[in-house]
Structure formats: structure tokens, C-alpha cells
């Protein structure tokens, strides 16, 4: 009972944490989408007054005004060309650059940093405060087979890749704030270069890992009855009855789908970033970096939460080590799955037993029909 | 030393691309890298203007703000330079720069970016002044020799101005005044011819 | 200081260890004790040996469905590594300048990256399979893991140094290569060379008996 | 280091040559061989991974033949081979490997794993970690000439029968003939029809041949045990006999292991080449067939498949001949998904079938063959190795599968053209006998009836060789064990059984133990009466109506 209470607390707090996180994302997106509108309105106001201005004006003023109008009004009548043929050479002034800078410097770096630090800090706090959820009645010593070799391979493949991508990505994002004071400019420069190059090389492999993950895990992650109940009862702890959970509980399914969808978002934006010199992608590239960073921070936070869960709930790690879990663990955490597999196994066992009995009988006695 | 600035006079620029050529030649930049370019607006339409654009050496440079490895620095005279030994070629500066100044040598078909290259105001870089490495990495250091950037010096119509910001703005202000005066003068003539009144040229009642 | 050591003595030492190690092994296979077969041969051994050297590149059909991962990941890794090793522009240039004095066609940059990705994919999957599959987990020795990890590090440092601008990264790559070269003759990495005599021995044995293997 | 361990290490050390060096240098422990080994695939126990079975040899190699091994041994970092290793590997190597060599065919770096396992066997044998049953068999082979003891009298008895039945003479110790035929103990004891088949075929084809009374035994227990001295001694006997009789060829029996021993390993065991040739019986038959000396008629119509004996097809090189011979006498041949060189082992090779304690695992790994056969749904299995045949029959019995297992040579003998046969007075030489006589005939004959789906006659019926006893297994409800019980109780023939009382039979069964109490002998006398009269069709009708003999 004690264990139950404790884990109820942890799961509740995790959910609060998750909802905070969702709010945060919504806010960020809202700001992102509104800020250009504000900016555009301001600029438009200016240009309106300019047309009414009287007196002599420098011809260059008109030029700059036109340039800015063009930049905000799309291709409204004014074209610019250049003899230089390279991407963006025709663009006179790229006003989006300023927005991108604002987003990165004023939003992403500070709030992204706070977000990540608070998530990790919060999880660490939970780790320290909340004791491990022990396997009820301890380990039985009997094990149940849970994950196949390929399932484990694809999981750890993803862990290695996402871990690596997270590490190198975070270095590139926060390295200037965090690592330069430690390593110095020159020291960080080659770390950052290495991060960038390997981030680019390993990036496409994430797509492979997502595919492997989909292939080997999707069968267990379809929504099933009881999932909603699980979510509403916060992991079955608000409900009085012990919830019967299948192969994965709703939380694990959410983790899976979050990983997959964020992974897809990261892959698409990441691929865009891999080909920055393709025509007409400059604006998309800026957007892609923004989305890429936000999705990555979310995924990293979710991954930390996942790690914390595994560390807290005793016996969960076994499944990913050698594919077998303790029988008591299975009974407690995934009772429906346990029953299904054991019933199936027993049926097999019984069959085999009967067969063996009968065959040995007949062998010994030589009964031939 | 005071701040230095570029200014391009759109009334004078004739899109000859002399500045571009001069820059390429003086700094020996690789193919595909254009530290300076001339942009023409309303090409072939009434009101066509051209401007020569390069790094504007901003006071609050966006490139320096977003650089993940902090490779930018501003010299005493306000020139924004960067350290290629630190640059990792991530391209963030190019996303932030309004003028499209940062350039990247493309290495290979995957468009992996090499180290960023941009206008240095012909002021070299962090390497030892006048050294071969400096030239190889950043191009000429004309400023150290007491010369202005070649683009401006080569400008046939003196449209592209470079140098001490105060001097540049004085020159430009003088040009604007001169142009205004001539416009005014022609206005006066028109007024005289058609209205028969004598305008006041003290400058106090120009409206 | 360290840079000089890595580019100088350690480089020559590692090359020497590598070359001597391989020559030693191959000589010991040639000179070493061999049992002569006194039975009357049905087929001949040399064609059998040659046949087997090549035939074992193709996995047995009936087995294929059971060892999909090893086949796919194994081929990805080995082909990727081979492409990187012999067709990456920096390597060709390096070999040209330091050893051979001639060069050959090189991979374009994107080819290099794709080859690296393919090789990484294969190596990581193989490594994880080694860790996760009950059979390989039982039979793998520390040396097998070490060999995989060292190979991985060599490839990784190579990719980190892709920009070819930071001498530290190039040094790191070279250092890891040196470790690799020194470790090579003492480990199962030797299979890169000994697979030929090994297949040849078996092929000859089967060839004598008139069996296609 | 104890003395026996030292002997083992010494033997293992002696096994290390260039080949082993190349093999171990190349092994990257990829684990692919596991999937080729039926002991692994059927048990899913990773210890049965083929290359893992060579671990003792690898340890010695690493420690004494590699720089790093020597170095770390000096530093005391390595754990040397110890007696526990040897004792735990004994079970892996002897019970858990049939030396089928499938692993050798799939290793990506070309390691001949089976060969290495044989080398490990020699180390284990030298240190005394070898199964008692194999050691005993080898001792018997040295002492009596055969692993099954002194079976010369049995052989002579069989020959007497054969001569009586066929009217042909079986030449014994005849000098100057072309072929000296050797026979494996298993064939003499379990499948004597093989000898009859040989006699008829050789006579038919006009081959001059003989059997040496001094060295007729082809099974080489030394090879199974991994003791080269014993193996050499056994080979020497055959060589001496062949040289004494001045034959041109030795004919190896169907048994694949015996073929490997005499054909491929023999000269290396004794350290010199032969003055005569060695041919496998199927090679000889194929040659005769191609020369037109073997005239065959009639085709088997039942759906049958060929089980390729590993030592014959995969490691002996007799690959095409069985296929051709089989195709000449059967028309409905199907092949297993993996066949020929890549067929799965029956699970009893390499001496496994001779190790009593290995029976459990042998039955378990037979599942591989079972599923192969299940896939095909065949009516008959043909093979060319007496050991495979025994193991297959055991395995099929254990799985309640009613598929007769036939020997290829006997099958060929069944299809010899009759008119060419000199003696046609004997019933046994009639290729298409009806079932009635086959039950009483001392020389069992494979008939159409048996080949087809006649469930009442088990393949076991062919084993019965005595003419004073009837094959009681014909009676529905009686198997080999009960037959034994009845015969011990004096009921040896159909007529005796038909006159027996229910109570007497029940008492016999009750005496035999609780396991037999459940059997109901009510209908046995009635069935036996029909059998005694030879009314086989009626019996078969009756049996169709009966359920489990009740």
C-alpha cells in the first residue's frame, strides 16, 4: 500500500509537469505566430505616414522605403535583382533575420534553458525525494520473456542516436553560454565543429531508428480500452481497483507516440537544415531551426522523464537488458499482458506436456494404431 | 579611431559591379563567395536604383549575437570581424543577417558549409597583421596600410563611400544638400516662371 | 608536443606494429604446421579454395531469414567502411602523398557522408546485436567489444574532422587510427586479412572431397 | 595442473596447426553458426552455438599461440583452461554436436567448425572427459571387432538365412575379388536386409565381392570418441584384411560415418595411403547403373523424400549419386526445403545416438527433422545411412509419426529386373511381393503395400528376422515393447497368440508393470487367428473397425 501511495505521488507530479510543459509549448507557439503580425503592423504604419510626408526628400529614402515595403508585402510590385548569382543575392534586406535573431536570443535560449533545467531539476528532485517503487513481494526469480532481440536492438539504437544527437545539439544551442566559459573560445570551437559535423552525419540515421522503432514496437502501441481510464486515474492509482494493463500502459504509449511524432518533426526539419542551399529555402530554414530546437527540447525532456521512470520503478530495466522481466513485476505492472502470455504459454506447455507424455508412453509401450 | 562605415549612394550607383570585381580581386576570395554584390531594384522600371551591398558592420550585429561559438568581434573602429579558427560554418549568422553578408564556401554536393567568409572592410582578421595567413584567410588588410577598402576606392562614380562615419555622412549630407538645392533651384525657377514670385532662399520657409 | 608525438614517433610505431603483425600472422599461417591429407582426393583443392573464398560472401539461402540483421548490418558496415577507407578523398590524398604516389577516383562529399552513415548504421546495429542476442552475448569476448568500439571511435573521429579545419580533430582522428593499427594484429580485427586463408583452408578441404562449399 | 588436465591440454596443443590458427584468428564471434545448428535452434540454448563448443581449443590457442595471450598469461590476467571447463564441455561436445558440419558451410569467414570440434573431442578424450557409452563401445570394438560386441555369429546367421532365401551364396573371405564389402554393426543388428540387398544386387550386376570375417565391421568407434589411436587400430584391421584378400576396392556401407572413417580419415589415421580404392556403396551402385549393369524396373509411386546423411552428402561428397539412384526407382520425389548439402542432421550423428544420456536432447532436436517432414507431408522417407535410419525411426516413433524409413540400397534391390536374376525360386527375390508373404518371410521385403498408406504394417515389420517367431506387431494394439513381453511369456507366434486366453494375456501385461495394465488384449487372439490364416485383408478390415486394438 505504501508503495502504491508513493508511486501515485510521483505519477501525479509527472502529469502536472507534463501539463506545464504543454502550456509552455502553446505559449511559445502563440508568441511565435503573433510576433510577426505586431512587427508588420508597426512597419506598415510608418510607411503610411511616409507617403503623406511633405517637402523634399532624399531619393534614397524612397528606395529604402520601397525595399521594406517589398519585404513585408511579398512581391508587391517591386523586384530586385543582382548580377551576382547566389542564393539570397537578389534579396536586398532580409527582415526575417531580425525576427529569427529575436526568437533565438530572447525566447529560445532563455526559456529553452529554463525549461530544460527545470525539467531535469524537477526530475532529480523527484528522484531524490521519492523512493524506488519496489516490485511487490520482491523478485520471484522466475522470468517472463517480454522483448525480442530486435526490439531491444532498435530501442538501444534509438537511445544511442538520440542521446548523441541531443548532446551535440545542446552543445550547439547552449554551448556559448555554458561551455565557452569552461573551455574557452578555441577549446569550444573544435568541440562545436565536431558536434556540428557529427550531428549532420548521424542525423539521417535517426530516421532509420524511427523506422526500426515503428516496425518493432507499433504492434504494442495502438490505443486499447483501458488507456483512457489509465490516464484519468493517473496510472491506475486514483482508481480503487487495480487496473489491468496490457503490454504497454497509456503512459508508455504516449511516450512512444511522442517520440515518433517529435522524431518525424525533427527528421523533416533536420533534413531541411541539411540542405540549406537549395533554392527558396532560406525562410524555411529559419523556421525549421526554430521548430527543430523546440521539438528537440521537448524530446529531450521526455527522454529524461522516461529515464527517471525506469530508474524509479524497479525491474523495468530488465526488459531492455535481456528481454526478460520478473514474474512479479509483470503481474503488478502489466497484469493483462502477463495473463495473456502465461495463458498462451501454459496452453503450449500443457500441449507439449501432454504430447510428451503420450509420446513417451507410446514409445515405451509401442502402441501403434 | 572613429567608427568606419560604408555608404552607397543610390543616386550615383550605376550598377557597374566594379566594387564587386575590386573586392574579389583584392581579397582573392574563392568562387561562389561574394563579399559584395550590387542589387538593383525596379530593374528596367521607372525609379530603378542600384545599391552596392556588403557587410554593414552593424553596431549591434545580429551575426555576432546568434553565433553559437562567439567568433565575432568588433574592432576599435567599429568593424565587425570574425575568427575563422573558431567559426564552425553553422550558418546561423546568415540566417540573422539582414544584408546577406555572410558567405559560405560550399564544400561538396551535400552543401556542407565551410567556414564563413564576409567583408572585412579590408581590415584583415585576427591573424598577425600583414601576414600570409591573414591574407589567405581573410584577404587584404588595407586599413593597416592606411588605405580604404578597394571597393570604395575603385568606385567610378564615387557612389560607394567608405571611411570614418562622420566624414562619410558629411560627404553624403553635402551631396543631399546639393541635390536639394538643385531641386529647389529648379523649383524656384518654375515658381518664378509660372507664379512670378521670388522665392525666399534663406532656408527658413521651405514648406 | 603531443601533436608532434602523434604525428611522428607514434605514427611510425603504429604502422610498424600493424605491418609486422600482419606479415607475422600470414607467414605463420604459411610456414606453420600443416597436416597433409593422405586420402585419395576426389576433386581438387585449389579450385575449391578459390571458390569458397568468394562463395562465402553470399550467405546461405535457407539461413538468410534467421540472420537478417547480421547479413544486412554486416554488409552495410563492411561496404561503408571499405568505401570510406579507400575512396574518401582525404584518405586517397593521404595515401597518395605518403605512400603510393598515385591516386584514384574518390567519392564526392555526399558519397563520403552516405558511406559513413551506412557504415555507422551497420556497426551500431552489429554492436547492439552483439550485446542483445543471447548467442553473441555468450560467445563474445572483451576483445570483440573492444574491436567494435575502437573501430567506431576511428570512424567517429573521422567524421568529426570532416571540415578539415581543426587540427585538434585531425590529430584525434590520427591518434585513434594509431590505436586501431596497434590493436589490429592482436585482435579479431585480423579477420580482415585472415578470412582469406581461413576460407581457403576450408574450401580446399571441401574441394578435395568434391563438395561445393 | 592435474595430470589428466595436462594430457588434455597437451592433446589440444597438438591439434593446433595453421588451419586452427587461421580459423581462430578469423572468428569474430558473429554467432551465425548458431542458427545453422539444430542443437541451438531446437533448444534455444546459446551454449550449443557451434563455435562455443570449441572454446577449450580456443583457450589453449589464445594462451599459447598468440602474442597477447602469452603476454597476459605472464601478467596473470587470463584464466587458463581448467578441469571444470573440460567436464562441462564434455556434454556440449559429445551430446550436443552430431558433427554434421552444417556450421562449416555457413561460417562467413569459412571456419570449419565441425573439424575443430573433432579436435576438441581429442583433447577431451585424452583427458578422460568422454562419455562412458562411447568409451565402452570403443573398447568392445578393439576387443571383439565391433562396437556392439562379438556379432560375427549374428552376421553368419543372417548370411545363412540370406543364402537360404535367395539361393545365392554370400562370399566370405574370398581372395582376389574386386570388392570387399564392409558392414556397420547397426546394419547387422538392425537392418540385415541391407546384406540381402547387397547380395542380390552384386549377383545381379555380376560383381565379384566378398566379406572378410576378420574385418567386416565398418563403424569406427575411435572416430566417434575422438581417439585417433583406436581409430587407427580399427582402420588397420580393415586394411590388413583387404590386403590379405587382395581386393581392388573396399566398399563402404551406407553408414556415412563409416564412410568418412575409411574413405577420408583412414589414411590419415594410419599414416599411409591405401593400395586399394574405397567406394561408397551408393557410388558403386551409381556406377553400375550408369554402366548398364544394374537393370531396374518399376517405380515407387508413393510420395517420398530423401534424408541426406550429413557425413555422406555434406562432408563425404557423395551428393549426386543418391539423387540419381533414387530418381531411377521413384517418381514422386519431393525435396525438403533445405536439402542436399544443406539438409538438417537427424540429430544422432557423431556418436550422439550411441550416448544413452543424450537421448533426451536427441529427441528434442529431432523436432527439426519433424518439422521438415511435416512441411512435406510425405508417405515415405528414404535415407542412406543406417544410423540416420535408426535415429529417424526413433524420432518418428517419439512423435507418433507413421512414416516408414527405407534404406536406399534396399530400395534399389527391390527394383532389380527379375528376369535377369538367376535365381527366381525364392520368394524374397520377387520385387513386387504381396503383403501376406512379407509378414512371414524371413527376409523382409519392401512392398508396394508397405510403401503405401497401409497403416497396419509398421516399418518395424522389416526388422523381424526370425522365422520361428511371428511379427506380433501386426496385431493392432501390440507394439515392440508388448511384443517383447509376450515373447518372454512364450507367445511368439500368431498361432500361439490366437489360442491364448484373455486372462492369461492380461496377467502377462499386469506382471510387466503398471504401465501396461491399461492395454486390453480382447481382440488380439481374434486378430492373431486371422494373421495365422494369412487372411490379411480380413485382418485389415477388422483393424479398421477397431480403435486402439479394442
Amino acid at each position: 500500500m505504501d508503495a502504491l501511495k508513493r508511486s501515485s505521488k510521483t505519477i501525479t507530479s509527472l502529469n502536472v509537469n507534463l501539463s506545464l510543459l504543454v502550456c509552455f509549448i502553446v505559449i511559445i507557439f502563440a508568441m511565435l505566430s503573433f510576433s510577426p503580425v505586431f512587427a508588420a503592423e508597426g512597419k506598415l504604419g510608418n510607411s503610411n505616414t511616409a507617403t503623406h510626408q511633405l517637402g523634399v526628400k532624399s531619393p534614397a529614402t524612397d528606395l529604402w522605403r520601397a525595399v521594406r515595403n517589398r519585404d513585408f508585402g511579398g512581391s508587391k510590385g517591386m523586384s530586385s535583382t543582382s548580377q551576382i548569382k547566389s542564393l539570397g543575392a537578389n534579396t536586398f534586406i532580409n527582415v526575417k533575420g531580425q525576427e529569427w535573431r529575436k526568437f533565438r536570443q530572447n525566447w529560445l535560449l532563455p526559456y529553452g534553458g529554463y525549461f530544460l533545467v527545470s525539467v531535469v531539476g524537477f526530475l532529480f528532485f523527484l528522484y531524490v525525494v521519492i523512493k524506488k517503487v519496489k516490485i511487490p513481494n520482491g523478485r520471484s526469480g522466475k522470468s517472463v520473456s517480454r522483448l525480442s532481440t530486435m526490439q531491444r536492438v532498435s530501442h538501444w539504437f534509438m537511445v544511442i542516436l538520440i542521446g548523441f544527437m541531443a548532446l551535440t545539439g545542446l552543445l550547439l544551442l547552449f554551448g556559448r553560454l555554458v561551455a565557452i566559459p569552461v573551455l574557452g573560445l578555441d577549446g569550444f570551437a573544435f568541440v562545436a565543429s565536431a558536434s556540428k559535423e557529427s550531428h549532420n552525419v548521424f542525423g539521417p540515421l535517426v530516421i532509420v531508428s524511427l523506422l526500426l522503432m515503428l516496425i518493432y514496437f507499433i504492434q504494442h502501441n495502438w490505443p486499447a480500452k483501458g488507456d483512457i481510464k489509465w490516464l484519468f486515474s493517473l496510472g491506475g492509482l486514483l482508481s480503487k481497483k487495480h487496473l489491468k494493463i496490457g503490454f504497454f500502459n497509456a503512459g508508455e504509449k504516449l511516450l512512444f507516440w511522442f517520440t515518433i511524432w517529435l522524431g518525424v518533426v525533427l527528421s523533416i526539419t533536420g533534413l531541411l537544415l541539411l540542405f540549406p542551399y537549395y533554392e527558396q529555402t532560406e525562410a524555411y530554414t529559419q523556421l525549421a531551426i526554430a521548430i527543430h530546437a523546440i521539438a528537440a527540447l521537448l524530446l529531450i525532456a521526455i527522454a529524461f522523464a522516461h529515464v527517471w521512470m525506469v530508474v524509479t520503478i524497479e525491474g523495468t530495466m530488465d526488459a531492455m537488458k535481456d528481454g526478460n522481466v520478473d514474474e512479479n513485476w509483470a503481474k503488478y505492472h502489466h497484469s493483462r499482458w502477463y495473463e495473456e502470455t502465461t495463458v498462451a504459454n501454459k496452453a503450449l506447455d500443457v500441449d507439449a506436456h501432454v504430447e510428451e507424455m503420450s509420446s513417451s508412453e507410446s514409445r515405451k509401450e509401442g502402441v501403434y494404431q | 579611431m572613429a567608427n568606419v562605415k560604408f555608404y552607397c549612394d543610390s543616386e550615383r550607383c550605376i550598377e557597374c559591379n566594379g566594387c564587386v570585381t575590386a573586392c574579389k580581386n583584392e581579397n582573392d576570395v574563392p568562387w561562389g563567395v561574394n563579399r559584395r554584390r550590387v542589387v538593383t531594384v525596379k530593374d528596367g522600371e521607372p525609379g530603378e536604383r542600384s545599391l552596392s551591398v556588403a557587410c554593414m558592420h552593424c553596431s549591434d550585429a545580429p551575426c555576432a549575437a546568434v553565433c553559437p561559438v562567439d567568433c565575432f568581434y568588433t574592432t576599435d573602429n567599429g568593424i565587425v570581424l570574425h575568427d575563422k579558427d573558431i567559426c564552425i560554418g553553422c550558418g546561423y549568422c546568415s540566417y540573422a543577417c539582414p544584408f546577406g553578408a555572410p558567405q559560405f564556401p560550399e564544400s561538396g554536393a551535400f552543401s556542407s558549409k565551410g567556414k564563413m567568409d564576409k567583408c572585412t572592410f579590408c581590415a584583415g582578421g585576427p591573424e598577425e597583421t600583414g601576414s600570409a595567413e591573414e591574407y589567405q584567410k581573410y584577404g587584404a588588410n588595407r586599413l593597416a596600410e592606411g588605405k580604404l577598402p578597394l571597393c570604395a576606392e575603385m568606385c567610378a562614380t564615387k557612389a560607394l563611400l567608405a571611411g570614418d562615419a562622420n566624414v562619410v555622412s558629411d560627404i553624403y549630407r553635402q551631396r543631399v544638400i546639393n541635390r536639394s538645392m538643385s531641386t529647389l533651384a529648379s523649383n524656384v525657377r518654375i515658381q518664378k516662371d509660372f507664379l512670378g514670385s521670388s522665392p525666399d532662399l534663406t532656408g527658413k520657409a521651405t514648406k | 608536443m603531443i601533436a608532434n608525438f602523434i604525428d611522428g614517433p607514434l605514427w611510425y610505431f603504429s604502422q610498424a606494429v600493424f605491418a609486422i603483425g600482419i606479415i607475422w600472422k600470414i607467414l605463420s599461417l604459411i610456414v606453420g604446421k600443416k597436416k597433409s591429407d593422405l586420402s585419395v582426393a576426389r576433386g581438387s583443392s585449389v579450385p575449391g579454395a578459390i571458390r569458397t573464398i568468394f562463395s562465402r560472401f553470399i550467405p546461405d539461402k535457407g539461413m538468410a531469414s534467421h540472420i537478417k540483421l547480421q547479413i544486412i548490418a554486416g554488409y552495410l558496415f563492411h561496404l561503408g567502411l571499405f568505401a570510406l577507407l579507400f575512396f574518401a578523398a582525404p584518405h586517397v590524398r593521404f595515401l597518395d602523398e605518403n605512400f603510393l604516389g598515385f591516386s584514384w577516383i574518390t567519392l564526392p562529399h555526399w558519397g563520403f557522408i552516405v558511406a559513413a552513415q551506412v557504415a555507422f548504421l551497420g556497426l551500431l546495429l552489429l554492436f547492439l546485436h552483439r550485446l542483445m542476442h543471447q548467442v553473441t552475448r555468450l560467445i563474445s569476448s572483451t576483445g570483440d567489444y573492444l574491436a567494435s568500439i575502437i573501430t567506431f571511435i576511428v570512424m567517429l573521429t573521422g567524421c568529426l574532422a570532416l571540415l578539415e579545419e581543426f587540427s585538434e580533430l585531425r590529430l584525434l582522428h590520427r591518434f585513434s587510427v594509431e590505436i586501431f593499427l596497434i590493436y589490429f594484429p592482436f585482435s579479431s580485427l585480423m579477420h580482415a586479412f585472415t578470412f582469406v586463408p581461413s576460407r581457403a583452408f576450408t574450401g580446399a578441404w571441401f574441394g578435395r572431397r568434391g563438395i561445393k562449399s | 595442473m592435474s595430470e589428466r588436465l595436462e594430457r588434455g591440454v597437451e592433446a589440444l596443443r597438438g591439434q593446433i596447426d595453421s588451419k586452427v590458427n587461421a580459423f581462430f584468428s578469423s572468428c569474430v564471434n558473429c554467432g551465425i553458426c548458431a542458427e545453422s545448428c539444430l542443437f541451438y535452434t531446437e533448444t534455444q540454448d546459446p551454449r550449443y552455438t557451434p563455435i562455443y563448443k570449441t572454446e577449450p581449443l580456443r583457450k589453449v590457442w589464445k594462451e599459447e599461440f598468440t602474442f597477447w595471450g602469452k603476454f597476459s598469461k605472464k601478467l596473470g590476467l587470463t584464466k587458463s583452461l581448467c578441469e571444470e571447463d573440460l567436464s562441462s564441455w564434455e556434454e556440449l561436445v559429445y551430446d550436443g554436436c552430431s558433427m554434421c558440419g552444417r556450421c562449416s558451410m555457413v561460417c562467413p569467414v569459412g571456419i570449419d567448425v565441425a573439424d575443430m570440434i573433432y579436435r576438441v573431442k581429442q583433447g577431451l578424450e585424452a583427458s578422460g572427459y568422454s562419455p562412458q557409452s562411447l568409451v565402452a563401445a570403443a573398447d568392445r570394438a578393439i576387443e571383439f571387432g565391433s562396437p556392439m560386441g562379438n556379432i560375427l555369429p549374428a552376421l553368419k546367421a543372417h548370411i545363412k538365412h540370406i543364402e537360404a532365401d535367395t539361393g545365392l551364396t554370400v562370399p566370405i573371405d574370398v581372395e582376389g575379388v574386386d570388392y570387399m564389402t564392409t558392414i556397420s554393426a547397426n546394419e547387422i543388428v538392425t537392418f540385415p536386409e541391407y546384406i540381402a540387398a547387397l547380395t542380390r544386387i552384386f549377383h545381379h550386376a555380376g560383381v565379384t565381392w566378398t566379406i572378410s570375417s576378420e574385418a567386416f565391421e565398418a563403424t569406427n568407434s575411435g572416430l566417434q570418441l575422438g581417439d585417433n589411436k583406436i581409430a587407427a587400430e580399427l582402420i588397420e584391421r580393415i586394411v590388413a584384411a583387404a590386403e590379405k584378400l587382395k581386393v581392388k576396392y573396399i566398399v563402404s556401407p551406407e553408414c556415412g560415418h563409416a564412410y568418412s572413417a575409411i574413405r577420408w580419415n583412414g589414411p590419415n589415421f594410419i599414416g599411409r595411403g591405401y593400395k586399394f580404392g574405397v567406394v561408397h556403396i551408393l557410388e558403386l551402385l551409381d556406377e553400375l547403373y550408369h554402366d548398364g549393369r544394374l537393370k531396374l524396373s518399376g517405380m515407387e509411386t508413393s510420395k517420398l523424400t530423401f534424408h541426406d546423411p550429413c557425413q555422406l552428402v555434406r562432408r563425404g561428397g557423395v551428393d549426386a549419386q543418391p539423387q540419381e539412384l533414387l530418381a531411377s526407382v521413384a517418381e514422386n520425389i519431393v525435396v525438403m526445403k533445405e536439402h542436399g548439402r544443406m539438409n538438417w542432421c537427424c540429430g544422432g550423428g557423431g556418436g550422439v545416438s550411441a550416448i544413452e544420456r543424450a537421448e533426451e536432447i536427441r529427441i528434442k532436436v529431432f523436432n527439426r527433422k519433424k518439422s521438415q517432414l511435416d512441411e512435406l507431408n510425405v508417405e515415405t522417407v528414404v535415407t542412406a545411412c543406417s544410423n540416420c535410419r535408426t535415429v529417424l525411426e526413433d524420432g518418428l516413433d517419439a512423435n507418433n509419426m507413421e512414416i516408414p524409413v527405407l534404406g536406399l540400397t534396399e530400395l534399389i534391390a527391390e527394383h532389380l529386373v527379375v528376369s535377369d536374376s538367376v535365381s527366381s525360386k525364392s520368394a524374397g527375390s520377387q520385387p513386387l511381393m504381396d503383403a501376406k508373404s512379407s509378414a512371414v518371410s524371413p527376409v523382409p521385403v519392401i512392398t508396394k503395400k508397405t510403401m503405401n498408406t497401409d497403416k497396419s504394417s509398421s516399418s518395424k515389420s522389416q526388422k523381424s528376422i526370425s522365422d520361428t517367431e511371428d511379427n506380433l506387431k501386426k496385431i493392432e494394439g501390440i507394439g515392440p515393447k508388448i511384443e517383447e513381453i509376450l515373447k518372454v511369456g512364450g507367445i511368439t507366434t500368431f498361432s500361439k497368440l490366437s489360442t491364448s486366453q484373455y486372462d492369461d494375456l492380461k496377467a502377462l501385461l499386469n506382471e510387466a508393470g503398471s504401465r501396461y495394465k491399461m492395454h486390453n488384449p480382447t481382440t488380439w487372439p481374434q486378430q492373431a487367428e486371422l494373421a495365422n490364416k494369412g487372411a490379411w485383408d480380413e485382418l485389415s478390415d477388422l483393424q479398421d473397425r477397431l480403435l486402439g486394438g479394442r
Side-chain angles (χ1 to χ4, degrees), chain A residues 358-359 361-369, chain D residues 359 397-398 400 402 478-481 515 519:
Chain A
S358 61
S359 70
E361 283 288 285
S362 65
R363 216 150 26 86
K364 276 167 193 144
E365 299 164 22
V367 178
Y368 291 92
Q369 269 90 36
Chain D
E359 184 175 342
D397 272 2
N400 285 340
E402 298 274 341
I478 299 183
K481 278 277 153 104
R515 198 171 288 139
H519 293 281

Side-chain angles (χ1 to χ4, degrees), chain B residues 1-5 163-173:
Chain B
M1 205 198 208
N3 273 359
V4 293
K5 284 285 178 249
D164 186 323
N166 292 329
V167 178
V168 169
S169 66
D170 278 349
I171 295 172
Y172 187 66
R173 193 180 306 117

Side-chain angles (χ1 to χ4, degrees), chain B residues 43-102:
Chain B
D43 191 14
E45 299 166 33
E48 173 182 330
R49 292 288 185 280
S50 294
L51 278 172
S52 175
V53 199
C55 174
M56 291 295 200
H57 300 280
C58 310
S59 305
D60 174 21
C63 52
V66 300
C67 178
V69 290
D70 203 8
C71 74
F72 290 92
Y73 61 99
T74 309
T75 62
D76 298 341
N77 35 23
I79 303 170
V80 177
L81 294 179
H82 71 292
D83 189 340
K84 281 198 182 179
D85 289 348
I86 293 176
C87 175
I88 58 169
C90 66
Y92 284 12
C93 44
S94 77
Y95 304 139
C97 178
F99 306 107

Side-chain angles (χ1 to χ4, degrees), chain D residues 42-74:
Chain D
E42 298 314 301
T43 62
Q44 289 294 313
D45 181 348
R47 293 188 323 129
Y48 287 116
T49 306
I51 197 71
Y52 190 66
K53 295 170 195 162
T54 68
E55 209 62 13
L57 184 60
R58 195 200 298 239
K59 267 192 175 172
V60 173
W61 169 78
K62 206 166 206 169
E63 214 170 79
E64 304 188 8
F65 290 81
T66 65
F67 175 83
W68 191 246
K70 284 183 216 161
F71 184 67
S72 54
K73 192 188 178 187
K74 284 232 169 69

Side-chain angles (χ1 to χ4, degrees), chain D residues 382-454:
Chain D
V382 180
T383 189
C385 167
S386 56
N387 190 43
C388 288
R389 208 167 147 187
T390 322
V391 174
L392 284 170
E393 282 179 352
D394 274 6
L396 292 170
D397 272 2
N399 288 296
N400 285 340
M401 288 163 83
E402 298 274 341
I403 304 175
V405 185
L406 308 179
L408 184 51
T409 309
E410 288 104 288
L411 193 59
I412 297 289
E414 279 317 302
H415 287 272
L416 293 175
V417 173
V418 194
S419 57
D420 275 17
S421 182
V422 175
S423 156
S424 57
K425 64 171 184 179
S426 155
S429 64
Q430 295 289 334
L432 296 174
M433 284 279 299
D434 62 3
K436 286 168 201 162
S437 54
S438 85
V440 285
S441 160
V443 180
V445 174
I446 308 145
T447 64
K448 283 284 171 197
K449 197 86 190 262
T450 348
M451 297 289 302
N452 291 333
T453 48
D454 190 350

Side-chain angles (χ1 to χ4, degrees), chain C residues 23-149:
Chain C
I23 293 168
W24 181 266
K25 174 65 79 181
I26 288 174
L27 277 182
S28 72
L29 292 185
I30 294 169
V31 178
K33 182 170 100 179
K34 274 191 221 66
K35 284 177 189 161
S36 56
D37 198 333
L38 299 167
S39 62
V40 181
R42 180 185 281 128
S44 45
S45 50
V46 176
I50 292 169
R51 200 195 127 83
T52 302
I53 288 175
F54 293 101
S55 71
R56 292 292 164 100
F57 282 118
I58 299 154
D60 176 66
K61 233 194 302 170
M63 290 274 293
S65 60
H66 301 282
I67 51 168
K68 268 181 280 181
L69 185 123
Q70 287 109 308
I71 296 173
I72 296 171
Y75 262 104
L76 286 179
F77 167 63
H78 281 98
L79 290 178
L81 188 69
F82 186 78
L84 286 183
L85 200 55
F86 293 110
F87 294 100
H91 292 161
V92 173
R93 208 167 58 231
F94 181 81
L95 290 174
D96 179 14
E97 284 165 9
N98 293 286
F99 296 99
L100 304 170
F102 60 90
S103 64
W104 55 89
I105 191 163
T106 61
L107 282 174
H109 191 80
W110 64 267
F112 182 100
I113 293 192
V114 168
Q117 282 165 349
V118 161
F120 273 125
L121 178 65
L123 182 56
L124 279 173
L125 286 179
L126 284 179
F127 183 74
L128 287 173
H129 182 265
R130 190 181 282 294
L131 265 173
M132 293 296 153
H133 197 270
Q134 53 167 355
V135 166
T136 41
R137 195 189 295 195
L138 175 75
I139 63 177
S140 293
S141 63
T142 330
D144 294 320
Y145 290 112
L146 210 56
S148 302
I149 290 169

